[in-house]
Amino acid sequence: MSTESKLPARIERIMGELPEGGRVLDPSSYPFETIRPTCDGFIEREGVRTYYAVWGETGPAIVFAPIYQVVDMRLLKATVPYLARYFRVVTIDLRGSGRSDRPTDPGAYSLEHYYADMLAVIDHLQLDRLAIIGVSAAAMLAIRLAAEQPERVSHLISSGGEYSWDAFQATPEDEKYLLRMHEDFTGHLDEFFSRMFPEAHSTKQYEDAVHYGWSSTGPTLALASVGWAGNHFGEHATRVTSPTLIIHGTDDRHVSYEMGLELHRLIPHSQLLTIEEGAHITLARDPVVYNRAVRDFVGAPPKERIWRRAMSRPRRALFLSSPIGLGHVQRDVAIARELRKLEPDLAIDWFTVSPATRYLEQEGEKVHPITRYLANESRHFEHVAGEHDLSAFYGLRTMDEIMVNNFMTFSDLMEAEHFDLIIGDEAWDVDYYYHENPELKRQPFVFLTDFIGLLPVEVDEREAFLCADRNADDLEHVGRFPYIRDAAIFIGNPDDVVEDRFGPGLPIIREWTDQNFRYSGYTLPFDPVALADQEALRAKLGYKQDETLVIAAVGGTSVGSHLLHKIASAFPFMKRQVPNLHMVLVTGPRLTGEAFPDLPGLEVKAYVHNLYEHLACCDLALVQGGLSTCMELVANRKPFLNFPLQRHFEQLVHVQRRLRNYGADCAMNYGDVTPESLADRALEVLHKPVNYRAVETDGASRAARMIAHVLNDRAAVR
């Protein structure tokens, strides 16, 4: 099963120079963002520790054979969190990678050791029956286990798998390959993963994989590679008796599609899932089809199912609302109420997470119970933010694990229940994966957004390239599959759309939007006329009539903490000049417990339901740069200052354009202001009359009418 490697002498000398075996990942940090292991730990064999983790608590066992050491178990982030809902999933970092040890002894790297490490984990977990998945070279370990212990393996899955790896020989090509690992490891990773992900718009998967590779070193990976080489398991494949699924891409440039076909031939009873135009790492590049294929093949535990005859089904809509901040869900509730006026028999379920769910529950709306499986987008953005600094683009870009997790939740719901209509307010996850998997769309889908186009905000060549690449991906999606969005609604007016290009050689954003969206006008969650009686409103909310009321608010996430503290520091300077000043700091639902100065006239409130009522009766507002709060202030004709988050393209570009359109150009740079200068500017604005353009009040009803057309006559919006 294993042959002795024959390496050039120069290579052997280099391989002996291993003062360090690469950077071992911190075991206290978790590989995935959306899930925590039910248990994890180390198994030690011959002085080498192997890290493993178990995900999920019930169902059959699935073991991912440990992957070739150029990556670690983080490569599985798009599939393990989903499969763990149905199975107990075991992942292993192979010696030389991830959280496992990096031995410096060349003899510690061999397929025999790799196989024994895997068996040690399986035995430790007392897994008597399991499905085994082999990705790439790890298919050799999976095939061997299925052949040698058939009573233990319930299912075998090969994913881009190879059953044979020729030994390295003393050839110039082999020498060049191994030497490059040692002398130009960065160049090796670039070449290697460019070959792994040749599909268009795969920059995120490529960058992730290179990042995983950096936790190793060239010499360590060279030794690990030699351990895989020289092994052949074709004969083992012929002895596999368990149900077998082979997943292989026709454009696999690492393990040829022909090898996948040969493995299919060697295991006569196997099933073959061909990924047309797909490359090597299906589970990362096309996770939706991969996750569903594995789930169905291994067999998820049986669950209850109800099928109701079509004509007796009540009409239902599912409203997907972005949970980042509270502006989306407030306008969505306004739209839903207008939609119910047009369609009284339409039941609406909500699909979102906290803090949006808190608002919905207080408004008497029904949040679907499956949302307990959703990952929290707000928490992700808080994690990647700095001091009043949040790169919205990179925040979205690094949210890929959350997006696939949440789409898989949505997909499960679409399988289990019937809906007549899907409404997605900036539901980028569903929109993206519907376009990537158009066969999954079963109901009319309406897409809403208040900005179009990811734009770089720094002089950064990489950011500009990546923004353009993502924009191009979206444009190609819409161009190829125009029927995915039965209606696309821009929450605003044509002049609110920027005139920039999506990127070099790409269309102008405004022109493309005119062709592909309909405009609803801005959508308010209230009628400004109903809030015009300031005295009555203050009496209702408990504010004094003779005080100067300043409201400071930063939205539904904790990203605004630093801004609130700076505003609190400015309060004493303002109070000296305005003795009757009453300032309210609204911390939002995710800053509960934050410590602020205890000063007379300074009040701290946590979550405030319908904040717009408080803003409507204030004398001045100090807010972050979010669109909803700013536009509510414009609608109620209140003076305000807004502090856009640094590097936040939406707040810095899209929101500011819209505010200028309405005559509310009042942004300040957080980094430039001191408590004293903030106080001076705030008092100046406090006494300055406003001259805003009126905000339309029929946006919600206009959006509802467009949605109703889709529900009743899909041709009406084509």
Side-chain angles (χ1 to χ4, degrees):
M1 289 175 290
S2 177
T3 60
E4 182 179 354
S5 300
K6 297 178 180 179
L7 299 176
R10 184 182 174 201
I11 296 290
E12 290 181 343
R13 287 196 301 272
I14 289 174
M15 300 240 172
E17 301 171 6
L18 287 172
E20 295 182 2
R23 180 173 60 85
V24 179
L25 300 183
D26 181 4
S28 65
S29 65
Y30 294 110
F32 311 129
E33 183 176 0
T34 59
I35 191 174
R36 294 291 178 263
T38 53
C39 68
D40 66 340
F42 292 88
I43 296 297
E44 185 171 333
R45 284 189 55 259
E46 300 181 13
V48 178
R49 298 188 314 156
T50 294
Y51 176 77
Y52 71 90
V54 181
W55 316 85
E57 299 179 352
T58 60
I62 292 179
V63 175
F64 278 88
I67 306 171
Y68 172 49
Q69 293 93 326
V70 74
V71 293
D72 52 68
M73 66 175 67
R74 289 176 294 175
L75 185 71
L76 308 175
K77 67 177 182 178
T79 187
V80 167
Y82 175 69
L83 293 178
R85 299 179 192 177
Y86 298 99
F87 308 98
R88 289 174 297 138
V89 183
V90 180
T91 56
I92 304 168
D93 279 340
L94 197 54
R95 57 175 61 198
S97 72
R99 291 153 182 77
S100 295
D101 289 347
R102 278 94 158 124
T104 57
D105 176 14
Y109 293 92
S110 70
L111 190 135
E112 294 300 323
H113 278 304
Y114 305 160
Y115 186 67
D117 290 344
M118 181 181 75
L119 282 182
V121 171
I122 292 173
D123 291 341
H124 172 74
L125 295 174
Q126 299 180 341
L127 301 179
D128 297 324
R129 192 75 171 159
L130 58 97
I132 184 77
I133 301 178
V135 180
S136 192
M140 291 191 283
L141 304 178
I143 291 168
R144 178 174 176 180
L145 179 65
E148 294 183 355
Q149 300 189 35
E151 73 288 347
R152 202 170 197 176
V153 176
S154 65
H155 300 79
L156 167 65
I157 299 175
S158 168
S159 179
E162 55 191 320
Y163 62 86
S164 178
W165 187 338
D166 291 336
F168 287 103
Q169 303 295 326
T171 65
E173 185 177 348
D174 285 346
E175 181 173 350
K176 179 180 178 182
Y177 183 79
L178 292 170
L179 280 175
R180 192 177 191 197
M181 285 188 193
H182 183 269
E183 297 177 350
D184 182 15
F185 189 52
T186 298
H188 170 74
L189 293 177
D190 172 55
E191 184 279 330
F192 185 85
F193 288 115
S194 294
R195 190 168 72 250
M196 297 300 105
F197 296 106
E199 301 99 331
H201 310 300
S202 297
T203 54
K204 183 58 168 64
Q205 292 82 7
Y206 159 84
E207 287 186 356
D208 280 346
V210 170
H211 176 70
Y212 305 153
W214 281 340
S215 70
S216 187
T217 65
T220 301
L221 187 58
L223 276 180
S225 300
V226 172
W228 289 100
N231 291 280
H232 307 277
F233 291 92
E235 190 275 332
H236 280 73
T238 64
R239 293 192 274 123
V240 171
T241 58
S242 60
T244 300
L245 174 64
I246 297 166
I247 304 173
H248 219 108
T250 60
D251 195 26
D252 191 329
R253 303 179 187 182
H254 184 64
V255 178
S256 70
Y257 179 61
E258 286 68 29
M259 178 169 278
L261 293 177
E262 179 62 15
L263 183 59
H264 181 41
R265 185 190 66 79
L266 290 170
I267 308 176
H269 62 276
S270 62
Q271 300 177 29
L272 175 63
L273 172 57
T274 295
I275 308 298
E276 287 282 359
E277 306 299 325
H280 189 55
I281 312 293
T282 302
L283 60 84
R285 188 57 185 85
D286 293 296
V288 173
V289 68
Y290 188 91
N291 292 345
R292 292 166 63 91
V294 172
R295 179 201 67 184
D296 294 344
F297 180 71
V298 178
K303 52 189 177 183
E304 294 184 5
R305 186 180 177 194
I306 298 174
W307 185 87
R308 188 168 188 169
R309 297 193 69 251
M311 294 306 295
S312 65
R313 297 173 187 172
R315 295 204 303 169
R316 299 175 68 197
L318 185 70
F319 212 133
L320 289 65
S321 185
S322 172
I324 302 173
L326 293 173
H328 296 99
V329 71
Q330 288 181 328
R331 76 177 178 214
D332 293 341
V333 168
I335 293 171
R337 286 172 176 161
E338 293 297 322
L339 184 58
R340 288 187 180 112
K341 293 177 183 177
L342 300 172
E343 309 292 338
D345 66 329
L346 182 67
I348 298 177
D349 286 22
W350 293 85
F351 190 85
T352 187
V353 296
S354 177
T357 51
R358 180 172 180 175
Y359 179 83
L360 290 167
E361 288 163 356
Q362 289 194 239
E363 290 295 310
E365 298 287 344
K366 177 189 174 185
V367 178
H368 197 284
I370 202 173
T371 57
R372 68 184 183 275
Y373 292 117
L374 293 177
N376 195 295
E377 298 174 21
S378 296
R379 187 177 297 116
H380 169 80
F381 276 96
E382 292 166 352
H383 177 72
V384 300
E387 180 178 345
H388 205 72
D389 182 0
L390 172 61
S391 172
F393 170 69
Y394 285 113
L396 288 168
R397 180 175 171 78
T398 56
M399 205 168 67
D400 50 325
E401 179 186 335
I402 291 175
M403 288 182 67
V404 70
N405 176 88
N406 292 353
F407 179 80
M408 295 308 303
T409 304
F410 170 80
S411 177
D412 280 2
L413 179 57
M414 293 302 99
E415 283 187 294
E417 299 183 25
H418 170 78
F419 291 91
D420 296 273
L421 176 68
I422 309 299
I423 310 165
D425 186 351
E426 295 192 7
W428 301 108
D429 44 6
V430 170
D431 186 69
Y432 176 81
Y433 283 111
Y434 257 172
H435 281 94
E436 289 282 286
N437 304 267
E439 67 281 357
L440 296 183
K441 183 188 175 235
R442 298 167 55 192
Q443 300 90 352
F445 174 54
V446 177
F447 181 73
L448 293 77
T449 185
D450 57 37
F451 79 92
I452 297 174
L454 304 177
L455 298 173
V457 294
E458 296 184 326
V459 182
D460 183 330
E461 182 179 349
R462 174 172 176 264
E463 183 177 346
F465 168 78
L466 293 175
C467 282
D469 181 71
R470 175 58 190 272
N471 287 334
D473 197 8
D474 290 341
L475 298 185
E476 291 167 20
H477 276 161
V478 174
R480 174 61 183 85
F481 300 107
Y483 55 82
I484 293 295
R485 299 174 178 174
D486 294 87
I489 302 173
F490 182 80
I491 305 297
N493 302 299
D495 60 354
D496 296 324
V497 181
V498 298
E499 300 286 352
D500 307 62
R501 287 191 178 274
F502 284 105
L506 296 176
I508 295 172
I509 297 174
R510 167 68 185 279
E511 293 178 359
W512 183 87
T513 305
D514 286 346
Q515 297 170 4
N516 292 277
F517 277 77
R518 300 182 68 187
Y519 297 96
S520 68
Y522 191 72
T523 298
L524 289 169
F526 59 85
D527 182 355
V529 174
L531 303 177
D533 188 339
Q534 302 287 286
E535 291 187 5
L537 199 53
R538 284 199 175 195
K540 170 188 172 183
L541 299 175
Y543 297 121
K544 296 178 180 178
Q545 302 295 339
D546 60 349
E547 65 186 9
T548 300
L549 179 62
V550 176
I551 304 287
V554 293
T557 74
S558 65
V559 176
S561 171
H562 295 96
L563 175 59
L564 281 181
H565 281 284
K566 184 171 282 192
I567 293 172
S569 298
F571 172 75
F573 299 100
M574 298 174 66
K575 184 76 169 176
R576 290 173 194 166
Q577 299 185 55
V578 184
N580 70 335
L581 180 66
H582 177 197
M583 178 180 285
V584 178
L585 302 180
V586 181
T587 62
R590 298 183 66 82
L591 277 175
T592 303
E594 190 90 0
F596 291 95
D598 184 11
L599 299 171
L602 182 64
E603 182 182 4
V604 178
K605 292 186 177 182
Y607 174 74
V608 174
H609 194 64
N610 290 335
L611 176 64
Y612 57 78
E613 293 184 335
H614 299 253
L615 294 173
C617 65
C618 73
D619 296 294
L620 172 71
L622 304 173
V623 299
Q624 207 182 80
L627 177 63
S628 299
T629 302
C630 291
M631 288 298 292
E632 289 165 9
L633 289 162
V634 173
N636 285 311
R637 310 192 67 75
K638 294 296 176 179
F640 69 99
L641 292 174
N642 72 94
F643 300 80
L645 289 166
Q646 299 172 81
R647 300 192 303 147
H648 195 298
F649 74 88
E650 185 183 1
Q651 293 188 6
L652 289 168
V653 180
H654 294 285
V655 174
Q656 295 309 313
R657 176 186 176 91
R658 193 179 303 227
L659 292 180
R660 286 192 294 271
N661 288 343
Y662 284 86
D665 190 0
C666 53
M668 294 193 73
N669 188 330
Y670 170 88
D672 292 341
V673 298
T674 64
E676 295 92 333
S677 65
L678 194 160
D680 291 341
R681 178 62 177 151
L683 293 177
E684 177 186 346
V685 172
L686 172 65
H687 298 104
K688 185 177 180 180
V690 299
N691 186 28
Y692 304 144
R693 189 181 100 192
V695 179
E696 50 271 47
T697 59
D698 63 343
S701 61
R702 289 165 63 184
R705 287 196 298 272
M706 296 176 191
I707 294 170
H709 278 307
V710 173
L711 181 65
N712 295 308
D713 182 7
R714 296 173 64 179
V717 294
R718 292 297 178 87

